[in-house]
Amino acid sequence: MIKRYARKKMKSKWTQKAKYQAWLDVEIAVTDSWAELGLIPAEDAKKIRENAKFDVARIEEIEKETRHDVIAFLTSVSESLGDESRWVHYGMTSSDAIDTGVALQMKSSMELIIKDVKMVLATLKKRAEQDKFTLMVGRSHGIHGEPITFGLVIAIWYEEMKRHLKNLEEALEIISVGKISGAMGNFAHAPMELEELACKKLGLKPAPISNQVIQRDRYARMISAIGLMASTVEKIAVAIRHFQRTEVYEVEEYFAKGQKGSSAMPHKRNPILSENITGLTRTIRAFVVPAMENVALWHERDISHSSVERFMLPDVFITSDFMLHRLNGLLEKMVVMPENMMKNLNLTGGLVFSQRVLLELPLLGISREDGYKIVQRNAMKVWEDLQNGKSAVDENSGESLFLQHLLNDEVLREKLSEEKIRDLFDYKYYTKNVDKIFERVFND
Protein backbone atom coordinates (compact mmCIF):
# COMPACT_ATOMS: atom_id res chain seq x y z
CA MET A 1 0.00 0.00 0.00
CA ILE A 2 2.82 2.42 0.81
CA LYS A 3 4.06 2.27 -2.78
CA ARG A 4 0.73 3.63 -3.91
CA TYR A 5 1.43 6.84 -2.00
CA ALA A 6 5.21 6.86 -2.39
CA ARG A 7 6.93 10.01 -3.53
CA LYS A 8 7.78 9.63 -7.20
CA LYS A 9 11.43 10.64 -7.01
CA MET A 10 12.37 7.88 -4.57
CA LYS A 11 10.08 5.31 -6.14
CA SER A 12 11.65 5.92 -9.56
CA LYS A 13 15.04 4.84 -8.19
CA TRP A 14 13.78 1.31 -7.51
CA THR A 15 11.89 0.36 -10.67
CA GLN A 16 13.04 -2.50 -12.88
CA LYS A 17 14.10 0.09 -15.44
CA ALA A 18 16.22 1.91 -12.83
CA LYS A 19 17.89 -1.35 -11.80
CA TYR A 20 18.84 -2.28 -15.36
CA GLN A 21 19.97 1.26 -16.07
CA ALA A 22 22.33 1.08 -13.10
CA TRP A 23 23.71 -2.20 -14.45
CA LEU A 24 24.17 -0.63 -17.87
CA ASP A 25 25.94 2.37 -16.32
CA VAL A 26 28.37 -0.05 -14.72
CA GLU A 27 28.92 -2.00 -17.95
CA ILE A 28 29.62 1.21 -19.91
CA ALA A 29 31.99 2.49 -17.22
CA VAL A 30 33.90 -0.78 -17.42
CA THR A 31 34.19 -0.83 -21.23
CA ASP A 32 35.31 2.81 -21.19
CA SER A 33 37.92 1.85 -18.60
CA TRP A 34 39.11 -1.10 -20.68
CA ALA A 35 39.57 1.30 -23.58
CA GLU A 36 41.36 3.87 -21.41
CA LEU A 37 43.80 1.17 -20.37
CA GLY A 38 44.32 0.34 -24.05
CA LEU A 39 43.00 -3.18 -23.74
CA ILE A 40 39.99 -2.89 -26.07
CA PRO A 41 39.48 -0.62 -29.13
CA ALA A 42 38.42 2.90 -28.16
CA GLU A 43 36.02 2.97 -31.11
CA ASP A 44 34.20 -0.09 -29.78
CA ALA A 45 33.88 1.49 -26.33
CA LYS A 46 32.45 4.62 -27.95
CA LYS A 47 29.86 2.58 -29.86
CA ILE A 48 28.83 0.82 -26.66
CA ARG A 49 28.59 4.12 -24.77
CA GLU A 50 26.46 5.73 -27.46
CA ASN A 51 24.27 2.84 -28.57
CA ALA A 52 23.87 0.32 -25.74
CA LYS A 53 20.33 0.03 -24.46
CA PHE A 54 17.96 -2.53 -23.05
CA ASP A 55 14.27 -3.35 -23.10
CA VAL A 56 12.61 -4.45 -19.85
CA ALA A 57 9.95 -6.52 -21.60
CA ARG A 58 12.60 -8.23 -23.72
CA ILE A 59 14.69 -9.02 -20.62
CA GLU A 60 11.69 -10.61 -18.96
CA GLU A 61 11.01 -12.64 -22.10
CA ILE A 62 14.58 -13.93 -22.26
CA GLU A 63 14.70 -14.62 -18.53
CA LYS A 64 11.78 -17.05 -18.84
CA GLU A 65 14.19 -19.28 -20.75
CA THR A 66 17.56 -18.51 -19.15
CA ARG A 67 16.31 -18.28 -15.56
CA HIS A 68 19.15 -15.79 -15.06
CA ASP A 69 18.38 -12.09 -14.94
CA VAL A 70 21.91 -10.83 -15.68
CA ILE A 71 22.30 -13.07 -18.72
CA ALA A 72 18.86 -11.95 -19.94
CA PHE A 73 19.93 -8.33 -19.45
CA LEU A 74 23.21 -8.83 -21.32
CA THR A 75 21.41 -10.53 -24.19
CA SER A 76 19.02 -7.62 -24.49
CA VAL A 77 21.91 -5.14 -24.47
CA SER A 78 23.80 -7.16 -27.08
CA GLU A 79 20.81 -7.00 -29.39
CA SER A 80 21.22 -3.21 -29.50
CA LEU A 81 24.88 -3.47 -30.58
CA GLY A 82 27.04 -4.98 -33.30
CA ASP A 83 30.34 -6.86 -33.04
CA GLU A 84 31.42 -4.50 -30.24
CA SER A 85 28.97 -6.29 -27.94
CA ARG A 86 31.71 -8.85 -27.27
CA TRP A 87 33.33 -6.38 -24.89
CA VAL A 88 30.21 -5.92 -22.73
CA HIS A 89 30.72 -7.72 -19.40
CA TYR A 90 34.24 -8.72 -20.48
CA GLY A 91 36.23 -9.99 -17.48
CA MET A 92 33.27 -9.42 -15.18
CA THR A 93 30.95 -11.59 -13.09
CA SER A 94 27.28 -10.95 -12.46
CA SER A 95 27.84 -9.46 -9.02
CA ASP A 96 30.25 -6.90 -10.46
CA ALA A 97 27.29 -5.42 -12.29
CA ILE A 98 24.67 -6.13 -9.63
CA ASP A 99 26.52 -4.95 -6.51
CA THR A 100 28.11 -1.95 -8.15
CA GLY A 101 24.77 -1.07 -9.75
CA VAL A 102 22.86 -1.34 -6.48
CA ALA A 103 25.54 0.80 -4.85
CA LEU A 104 24.56 3.53 -7.29
CA GLN A 105 20.89 3.08 -6.35
CA MET A 106 21.60 3.05 -2.62
CA LYS A 107 23.88 6.06 -2.86
CA SER A 108 21.35 8.26 -4.63
CA SER A 109 18.58 7.00 -2.34
CA MET A 110 20.59 7.69 0.80
CA GLU A 111 21.28 11.19 -0.46
CA LEU A 112 17.51 11.71 -0.65
CA ILE A 113 16.99 10.32 2.87
CA ILE A 114 19.72 12.63 4.20
CA LYS A 115 18.00 15.55 2.49
CA ASP A 116 14.72 14.48 4.12
CA VAL A 117 16.32 14.36 7.56
CA LYS A 118 17.77 17.83 7.08
CA MET A 119 14.27 19.01 6.16
CA VAL A 120 12.87 17.55 9.40
CA LEU A 121 15.72 19.11 11.40
CA ALA A 122 14.91 22.55 9.99
CA THR A 123 11.26 22.14 10.97
CA LEU A 124 12.15 20.91 14.46
CA LYS A 125 14.46 23.86 14.99
CA LYS A 126 11.75 26.30 13.94
CA ARG A 127 9.13 24.71 16.19
CA ALA A 128 11.55 24.54 19.14
CA GLU A 129 12.23 28.27 18.86
CA GLN A 130 8.51 29.00 18.72
CA ASP A 131 7.86 27.15 21.99
CA LYS A 132 11.18 27.82 23.64
CA PHE A 133 9.54 29.16 26.80
CA THR A 134 6.12 27.49 26.56
CA LEU A 135 5.73 26.03 30.04
CA MET A 136 4.46 22.50 30.51
CA VAL A 137 4.86 19.72 33.03
CA GLY A 138 7.67 17.21 32.66
CA ARG A 139 6.65 13.62 33.30
CA SER A 140 8.53 10.59 34.53
CA HIS A 141 6.77 7.23 34.80
CA GLY A 142 3.82 9.11 33.31
CA ILE A 143 3.53 11.12 36.55
CA HIS A 144 4.00 14.88 36.84
CA GLY A 145 7.54 15.81 37.78
CA GLU A 146 8.70 19.41 37.37
CA PRO A 147 8.08 22.31 35.00
CA ILE A 148 9.85 22.21 31.64
CA THR A 149 9.12 23.86 28.30
CA PHE A 150 7.76 22.33 25.13
CA GLY A 151 10.72 23.86 23.34
CA LEU A 152 13.03 21.62 25.38
CA VAL A 153 10.98 18.57 24.38
CA ILE A 154 11.38 19.43 20.70
CA ALA A 155 15.07 20.23 21.21
CA ILE A 156 15.56 16.64 22.43
CA TRP A 157 13.99 15.38 19.20
CA TYR A 158 16.23 17.71 17.19
CA GLU A 159 19.42 16.55 18.92
CA GLU A 160 18.56 12.90 18.31
CA MET A 161 17.80 13.48 14.66
CA LYS A 162 21.08 15.38 14.35
CA ARG A 163 22.91 12.28 15.57
CA HIS A 164 21.02 10.17 13.07
CA LEU A 165 22.05 12.56 10.32
CA LYS A 166 25.68 11.89 11.19
CA ASN A 167 25.04 8.13 11.24
CA LEU A 168 23.34 8.26 7.86
CA GLU A 169 26.15 10.31 6.35
CA GLU A 170 28.68 7.77 7.64
CA ALA A 171 26.55 4.92 6.29
CA LEU A 172 26.43 6.68 2.92
CA GLU A 173 30.22 6.54 2.74
CA ILE A 174 30.23 2.88 3.73
CA ILE A 175 27.82 1.77 0.99
CA SER A 176 29.24 3.98 -1.77
CA VAL A 177 31.66 1.33 -3.02
CA GLY A 178 31.83 -0.81 -6.14
CA LYS A 179 33.68 -3.92 -7.28
CA ILE A 180 34.97 -5.18 -10.62
CA SER A 181 37.10 -7.93 -9.08
CA GLY A 182 35.69 -10.94 -10.90
CA ALA A 183 34.10 -14.22 -9.92
CA MET A 184 36.17 -14.85 -6.79
CA GLY A 185 37.39 -11.34 -6.17
CA ASN A 186 40.98 -12.15 -7.09
CA PHE A 187 41.23 -9.89 -10.21
CA ALA A 188 42.34 -12.92 -12.24
CA HIS A 189 40.65 -11.69 -15.42
CA ALA A 190 40.84 -7.93 -15.03
CA PRO A 191 43.51 -5.61 -13.63
CA MET A 192 42.87 -3.75 -10.39
CA GLU A 193 43.33 -0.49 -12.32
CA LEU A 194 40.15 -1.34 -14.24
CA GLU A 195 38.11 -1.36 -11.04
CA GLU A 196 39.67 1.89 -9.87
CA LEU A 197 38.91 3.66 -13.15
CA ALA A 198 35.36 2.31 -13.45
CA CYS A 199 34.44 3.18 -9.87
CA LYS A 200 35.82 6.69 -10.28
CA LYS A 201 33.67 7.19 -13.38
CA LEU A 202 30.63 6.06 -11.38
CA GLY A 203 31.32 8.27 -8.37
CA LEU A 204 32.14 5.31 -6.13
CA LYS A 205 35.20 4.08 -4.29
CA PRO A 206 36.55 0.61 -5.02
CA ALA A 207 36.04 -1.83 -2.15
CA PRO A 208 39.54 -2.47 -0.72
CA ILE A 209 38.83 -6.19 -0.97
CA SER A 210 35.85 -8.24 -2.13
CA ASN A 211 35.10 -11.81 -3.03
CA GLN A 212 32.28 -12.48 -5.47
CA VAL A 213 30.21 -9.81 -3.72
CA ILE A 214 30.56 -6.60 -1.79
CA GLN A 215 30.40 -7.60 1.85
CA ARG A 216 26.93 -7.24 3.37
CA ASP A 217 28.04 -5.70 6.66
CA ARG A 218 27.97 -2.47 4.63
CA TYR A 219 24.29 -2.96 3.83
CA ALA A 220 23.55 -3.94 7.44
CA ARG A 221 25.24 -0.76 8.65
CA MET A 222 23.07 1.31 6.34
CA ILE A 223 19.80 -0.45 7.26
CA SER A 224 20.68 -0.22 10.96
CA ALA A 225 21.28 3.52 10.68
CA ILE A 226 17.92 3.97 8.96
CA GLY A 227 16.22 1.71 11.51
CA LEU A 228 17.69 3.66 14.42
CA MET A 229 16.53 6.90 12.84
CA ALA A 230 13.06 5.38 12.50
CA SER A 231 13.07 4.64 16.24
CA THR A 232 13.41 8.33 17.01
CA VAL A 233 10.68 9.11 14.50
CA GLU A 234 8.46 6.70 16.43
CA LYS A 235 9.47 8.39 19.69
CA ILE A 236 8.22 11.71 18.29
CA ALA A 237 5.02 10.16 16.96
CA VAL A 238 4.26 8.39 20.25
CA ALA A 239 4.84 11.61 22.19
CA ILE A 240 2.41 13.50 19.97
CA ARG A 241 -0.15 10.72 20.35
CA HIS A 242 0.17 11.00 24.13
CA PHE A 243 -0.08 14.79 24.08
CA GLN A 244 -3.27 14.52 22.02
CA ARG A 245 -5.05 12.19 24.47
CA THR A 246 -8.23 13.85 25.67
CA GLU A 247 -7.06 13.74 29.31
CA VAL A 248 -3.84 15.53 28.33
CA TYR A 249 -4.74 17.56 25.22
CA GLU A 250 -1.63 19.72 25.05
CA VAL A 251 -0.75 19.15 21.39
CA GLU A 252 -2.91 18.10 18.47
CA GLU A 253 -2.41 17.08 14.89
CA TYR A 254 -3.87 19.60 12.49
CA PHE A 255 -7.48 18.69 11.77
CA ALA A 256 -8.59 20.03 8.40
CA LYS A 257 -12.00 21.47 7.66
CA GLY A 258 -14.22 18.66 6.45
CA GLN A 259 -11.95 15.96 7.88
CA LYS A 260 -13.68 13.07 9.63
CA GLY A 261 -12.36 11.10 12.59
CA SER A 262 -14.84 8.29 12.99
CA SER A 263 -17.65 6.70 11.03
CA ALA A 264 -19.66 6.26 14.25
CA MET A 265 -18.61 9.15 16.50
CA PRO A 266 -18.73 12.54 14.76
CA HIS A 267 -16.81 14.27 17.55
CA LYS A 268 -13.58 12.29 17.09
CA ARG A 269 -10.29 14.02 16.13
CA ASN A 270 -7.80 11.16 16.05
CA PRO A 271 -3.97 11.30 15.80
CA ILE A 272 -4.02 9.31 12.58
CA LEU A 273 -0.80 10.67 11.10
CA SER A 274 1.35 9.88 14.13
CA GLU A 275 -0.31 6.46 14.42
CA ASN A 276 0.46 5.83 10.76
CA ILE A 277 4.05 6.96 11.27
CA THR A 278 4.39 4.60 14.24
CA GLY A 279 3.38 1.70 12.02
CA LEU A 280 5.81 2.70 9.28
CA THR A 281 8.72 2.77 11.74
CA ARG A 282 7.95 -0.80 12.76
CA THR A 283 8.05 -1.88 9.13
CA ILE A 284 11.41 -0.20 8.57
CA ARG A 285 13.01 -1.68 11.69
CA ALA A 286 11.76 -5.13 10.72
CA PHE A 287 14.45 -5.20 8.02
CA VAL A 288 17.37 -4.66 10.41
CA VAL A 289 17.64 -8.32 11.45
CA PRO A 290 17.43 -9.73 7.87
CA ALA A 291 20.10 -7.21 6.83
CA MET A 292 22.37 -8.48 9.61
CA GLU A 293 21.65 -12.09 8.76
CA ASN A 294 22.68 -11.39 5.16
CA VAL A 295 26.25 -10.77 6.34
CA ALA A 296 26.96 -14.50 6.79
CA LEU A 297 27.18 -16.00 3.29
CA TRP A 298 28.75 -19.32 2.37
CA HIS A 299 32.43 -19.03 1.46
CA GLU A 300 32.95 -16.53 -1.37
CA ARG A 301 29.17 -16.09 -1.69
CA ASP A 302 25.78 -17.70 -2.02
CA ILE A 303 22.53 -16.01 -3.03
CA SER A 304 20.56 -16.30 0.22
CA HIS A 305 20.90 -12.52 0.53
CA SER A 306 19.50 -11.82 -2.92
CA SER A 307 15.82 -12.55 -2.32
CA VAL A 308 15.88 -10.43 0.85
CA GLU A 309 17.48 -7.45 -0.86
CA ARG A 310 15.10 -7.48 -3.82
CA PHE A 311 12.32 -6.16 -1.61
CA MET A 312 14.24 -4.95 1.46
CA LEU A 313 16.11 -2.15 -0.29
CA PRO A 314 13.18 -0.67 -2.26
CA ASP A 315 10.83 -0.97 0.72
CA VAL A 316 13.23 0.57 3.24
CA PHE A 317 14.06 3.57 1.08
CA ILE A 318 10.56 4.21 -0.28
CA THR A 319 8.94 3.80 3.14
CA SER A 320 11.54 5.97 4.90
CA ASP A 321 11.19 8.75 2.37
CA PHE A 322 7.40 8.70 2.70
CA MET A 323 7.59 8.53 6.51
CA LEU A 324 9.96 11.50 6.84
CA HIS A 325 7.80 13.69 4.63
CA ARG A 326 4.69 12.68 6.56
CA LEU A 327 6.46 13.49 9.83
CA ASN A 328 7.59 16.86 8.51
CA GLY A 329 4.07 17.79 7.48
CA LEU A 330 2.77 16.74 10.89
CA LEU A 331 5.37 18.85 12.69
CA GLU A 332 4.81 21.90 10.50
CA LYS A 333 1.06 21.97 11.20
CA MET A 334 1.16 20.66 14.79
CA VAL A 335 -1.18 22.66 17.05
CA VAL A 336 0.26 23.55 20.47
CA MET A 337 -2.06 24.56 23.33
CA PRO A 338 -0.13 26.58 25.97
CA GLU A 339 -3.23 27.20 28.08
CA ASN A 340 -3.89 23.49 28.43
CA MET A 341 -0.21 22.94 29.24
CA MET A 342 -0.48 25.44 32.11
CA LYS A 343 -3.75 23.86 33.23
CA ASN A 344 -2.07 20.46 33.44
CA LEU A 345 0.98 21.96 35.09
CA ASN A 346 -1.27 23.13 37.94
CA LEU A 347 -3.26 19.89 38.21
CA THR A 348 -1.34 18.61 41.23
CA GLY A 349 -1.77 21.71 43.34
CA GLY A 350 1.82 22.92 43.24
CA LEU A 351 3.51 19.58 43.87
CA VAL A 352 5.82 20.28 40.93
CA PHE A 353 7.73 22.65 43.27
CA SER A 354 8.54 19.94 45.84
CA GLN A 355 12.21 19.55 44.92
CA ARG A 356 12.65 23.32 44.89
CA VAL A 357 11.44 23.40 48.51
CA LEU A 358 13.49 20.35 49.46
CA LEU A 359 16.76 21.85 48.19
CA GLU A 360 16.23 24.98 50.25
CA LEU A 361 16.18 23.16 53.58
CA PRO A 362 19.80 21.88 53.74
CA LEU A 363 20.87 25.51 53.25
CA LEU A 364 19.12 26.22 56.56
CA GLY A 365 20.96 23.47 58.44
CA ILE A 366 18.23 20.83 58.10
CA SER A 367 19.43 17.33 57.20
CA ARG A 368 18.28 15.91 53.88
CA GLU A 369 16.38 13.15 55.69
CA ASP A 370 14.47 15.57 57.92
CA GLY A 371 13.90 17.97 55.04
CA TYR A 372 12.52 15.15 52.89
CA LYS A 373 10.08 14.20 55.67
CA ILE A 374 8.82 17.78 55.96
CA VAL A 375 8.24 18.15 52.22
CA GLN A 376 6.82 14.67 51.70
CA ARG A 377 4.28 14.82 54.51
CA ASN A 378 2.86 18.02 53.05
CA ALA A 379 2.92 16.56 49.55
CA MET A 380 0.98 13.49 50.72
CA LYS A 381 -1.68 15.79 52.19
CA VAL A 382 -2.11 17.27 48.72
CA TRP A 383 -2.59 13.82 47.17
CA GLU A 384 -5.22 13.04 49.82
CA ASP A 385 -6.99 16.33 49.09
CA LEU A 386 -7.04 15.56 45.38
CA GLN A 387 -8.31 12.02 46.02
CA ASN A 388 -11.16 13.53 48.01
CA GLY A 389 -12.11 15.79 45.11
CA LYS A 390 -10.68 19.01 46.46
CA SER A 391 -9.67 21.65 43.90
CA ALA A 392 -5.92 21.87 43.22
CA VAL A 393 -6.12 25.64 43.60
CA ASP A 394 -8.10 27.45 46.29
CA GLU A 395 -10.93 29.32 44.61
CA ASN A 396 -10.76 32.27 47.04
CA SER A 397 -7.04 32.87 47.49
CA GLY A 398 -5.85 31.36 44.20
CA GLU A 399 -3.15 29.53 46.15
CA SER A 400 -2.17 25.96 45.41
CA LEU A 401 -2.84 23.19 47.93
CA PHE A 402 0.85 22.49 48.40
CA LEU A 403 1.63 26.11 49.17
CA GLN A 404 -1.21 26.25 51.73
CA HIS A 405 0.00 23.13 53.52
CA LEU A 406 3.59 24.39 53.62
CA LEU A 407 2.49 27.74 55.01
CA ASN A 408 0.58 25.91 57.75
CA ASP A 409 3.49 23.63 58.68
CA GLU A 410 4.78 24.90 62.01
CA VAL A 411 8.13 23.09 61.80
CA LEU A 412 8.85 24.54 58.38
CA ARG A 413 7.71 28.03 59.37
CA GLU A 414 10.33 28.08 62.12
CA LYS A 415 12.95 27.96 59.35
CA LEU A 416 11.30 29.72 56.42
CA SER A 417 9.29 32.91 56.25
CA GLU A 418 6.01 33.14 54.36
CA GLU A 419 7.65 35.39 51.80
CA LYS A 420 10.49 32.94 51.20
CA ILE A 421 8.12 29.99 50.81
CA ARG A 422 6.08 31.91 48.28
CA ASP A 423 9.25 32.84 46.39
CA LEU A 424 9.98 29.14 45.92
CA PHE A 425 6.83 28.83 43.77
CA ASP A 426 8.25 30.66 40.76
CA TYR A 427 8.13 29.07 37.31
CA LYS A 428 10.97 31.27 36.07
CA TYR A 429 13.34 29.26 38.25
CA TYR A 430 12.87 26.32 35.87
CA THR A 431 13.49 28.23 32.66
CA LYS A 432 16.60 30.17 33.62
CA ASN A 433 18.93 27.91 31.63
CA VAL A 434 16.77 27.34 28.56
CA ASP A 435 18.73 29.83 26.48
CA LYS A 436 22.02 28.14 27.36
CA ILE A 437 20.61 24.69 26.57
CA PHE A 438 19.42 25.95 23.18
CA GLU A 439 22.89 27.35 22.49
CA ARG A 440 24.33 23.88 23.10
CA VAL A 441 21.83 22.12 20.89
CA PHE A 442 21.39 24.57 18.03
CA ASN A 443 25.05 25.48 17.61
CA ASP A 444 25.01 24.57 13.93
Side-chain angles (χ1 to χ4, degrees):
M1 177 61 85
I2 187 65
K3 291 181 180 179
R4 178 181 170 189
Y5 300 102
R7 297 177 67 250
K8 291 181 180 179
K9 192 169 185 179
M10 180 64 85
K11 187 178 178 181
S12 68
K13 296 180 182 296
W14 294 98
T15 61
Q16 285 292 87
K17 182 179 179 181
K19 177 179 75 171
Y20 295 134
Q21 184 60 55
W23 292 3
L24 184 58
D25 291 342
V26 174
E27 297 287 352
I28 290 173
V30 171
T31 54
D32 279 344
S33 298
W34 276 119
E36 193 169 330
L37 291 171
L39 299 173
I40 70 170
E43 185 61 28
D44 285 355
K46 181 181 178 183
K47 288 179 181 178
I48 293 169
R49 187 186 328 114
E50 294 178 350
N51 301 317
K53 59 180 182 291
F54 60 86
D55 181 86
V56 175
R58 177 63 177 142
I59 293 172
E60 292 173 351
E61 179 186 355
I62 299 168
E63 190 179 358
K64 289 178 182 179
E65 178 182 349
T66 63
R67 305 293 180 90
H68 195 292
D69 55 355
V70 176
I71 292 175
F73 161 77
L74 293 172
T75 301
S76 177
V77 171
S78 294
E79 290 174 349
S80 68
L81 300 170
D83 290 343
E84 68 276 6
S85 66
R86 68 186 185 276
W87 303 121
V88 176
H89 207 66
Y90 185 76
M92 296 172 62
T93 191
S94 295
S95 291
D96 288 336
I98 295 172
D99 284 9
T100 307
V102 83
L104 295 175
Q105 291 177 281
M106 292 190 298
K107 182 175 182 286
S108 62
S109 296
M110 276 292 281
E111 288 168 348
L112 267 186
I113 295 298
I114 287 170
K115 184 178 179 181
D116 292 345
V117 171
K118 289 179 178 178
M119 169 189 66
V120 171
L121 282 169
T123 300
L124 287 171
K125 183 176 182 179
K126 180 180 178 181
R127 294 309 306 253
E129 289 289 348
Q130 289 173 354
D131 287 294
K132 189 175 184 179
F133 292 103
T134 301
L135 280 167
M136 68 181 299
V137 68
R139 300 170 172 91
S140 57
H141 304 276
I143 306 301
H144 287 199
E146 292 188 336
I148 58 172
T149 76
F150 190 50
L152 290 176
V153 171
I154 299 175
I156 287 281
W157 300 344
Y158 177 91
E159 177 66 14
E160 276 194 44
M161 290 300 290
K162 192 164 68 170
R163 288 196 294 276
H164 295 314
L165 176 62
K166 182 179 180 182
N167 287 341
L168 292 167
E169 288 172 339
E170 290 175 354
L172 173 61
E173 287 296 312
I174 289 170
I175 55 92
S176 296
V177 298
K179 70 163 294 266
I180 312 294
S181 58
M184 291 294 108
N186 56 11
F187 293 96
H189 309 292
M192 296 178 72
E193 292 81 3
L194 180 78
E195 180 185 74
E196 293 167 1
L197 283 173
C199 285
K200 185 176 181 180
K201 293 177 186 297
L202 295 167
L204 301 172
K205 295 179 181 177
I209 184 172
S210 56
N211 43 34
Q212 195 169 95
V213 295
I214 289 174
Q215 304 309 293
R216 262 42 187 185
D217 66 289
R218 295 179 183 272
Y219 291 43
R221 173 70 169 83
M222 176 191 68
I223 299 296
S224 297
I226 294 173
L228 189 56
M229 177 269 294
S231 292
T232 293
V233 171
E234 181 176 18
K235 174 179 179 174
I236 296 170
V238 168
I240 293 171
R241 290 166 60 193
H242 167 73
F243 291 140
Q244 190 165 335
R245 288 172 55 212
T246 307
E247 297 85 353
V248 180
Y249 206 49
E250 296 176 346
V251 174
E252 184 181 45
E253 291 182 8
Y254 174 74
F255 196 83
K257 184 177 181 180
Q259 184 175 335
K260 304 293 188 291
S262 167
S263 64
M265 297 169 284
H267 71 280
K268 295 296 292 297
R269 290 157 70 108
N270 302 325
I272 57 171
L273 294 178
S274 48
E275 288 175 341
N276 173 259
I277 289 168
T278 298
L280 296 178
T281 65
R282 294 171 183 169
T283 300
I284 292 166
R285 286 198 306 272
F287 287 112
V288 173
V289 171
M292 290 184 174
E293 291 177 341
N294 274 358
V295 174
L297 303 179
W298 286 15
H299 304 294
E300 278 54 62
R301 64 89 58 121
D302 59 64
I303 62 166
S304 58
H305 63 289
S306 178
S307 56
V308 178
E309 291 169 1
R310 286 173 188 265
F311 61 87
M312 176 181 73
L313 294 175
D315 282 7
V316 164
F317 281 114
I318 292 171
T319 305
S320 297
D321 181 51
F322 178 84
M323 174 192 71
L324 288 167
H325 278 265
R326 172 149 287 187
L327 173 66
N328 194 66
L330 167 59
L331 292 169
E332 283 182 329
K333 295 183 177 181
M334 178 174 63
V335 179
V336 179
M337 292 167 275
E339 294 80 8
N340 285 352
M341 289 181 173
M342 281 302 299
K343 178 183 176 182
N344 288 337
L345 186 54
N346 292 318
L347 272 180
T348 56
L351 290 181
V352 292
F353 295 100
S354 70
Q355 183 175 193
R356 176 77 181 95
V357 178
L358 174 64
L359 293 178
E360 191 68 24
L361 302 185
L363 301 177
L364 303 172
I366 301 174
S367 70
R368 179 174 176 84
E369 290 74 16
D370 289 340
Y372 197 99
K373 290 177 182 178
I374 293 171
V375 177
Q376 188 181 42
R377 69 167 175 254
N378 287 290
M380 294 305 106
K381 291 177 183 177
V382 175
W383 284 118
E384 291 169 6
D385 290 340
L386 295 173
Q387 288 169 2
N388 293 324
K390 194 169 183 179
S391 174
V393 178
D394 185 84
E395 294 180 1
N396 297 319
S397 66
E399 293 177 344
S400 66
L401 291 173
F402 190 45
L403 176 58
Q404 287 182 335
H405 286 304
L406 291 175
L407 291 173
N408 293 327
D409 190 297
E410 294 180 0
V411 175
L412 180 64
R413 288 301 302 277
E414 290 179 2
K415 296 290 185 178
L416 281 175
S417 67
E418 177 180 344
E419 180 182 6
K420 181 59 179 177
I421 293 174
R422 291 183 183 279
D423 286 344
L424 298 178
F425 284 66
D426 183 3
Y427 287 122
K428 291 181 181 178
Y429 174 84
Y430 296 91
T431 62
K432 61 180 182 291
N433 287 313
V434 171
D435 278 324
K436 292 180 180 178
I437 296 171
F438 267 55
E439 287 176 12
R440 276 185 174 182
V441 175
F442 301 104
N443 58 4
D444 51 354

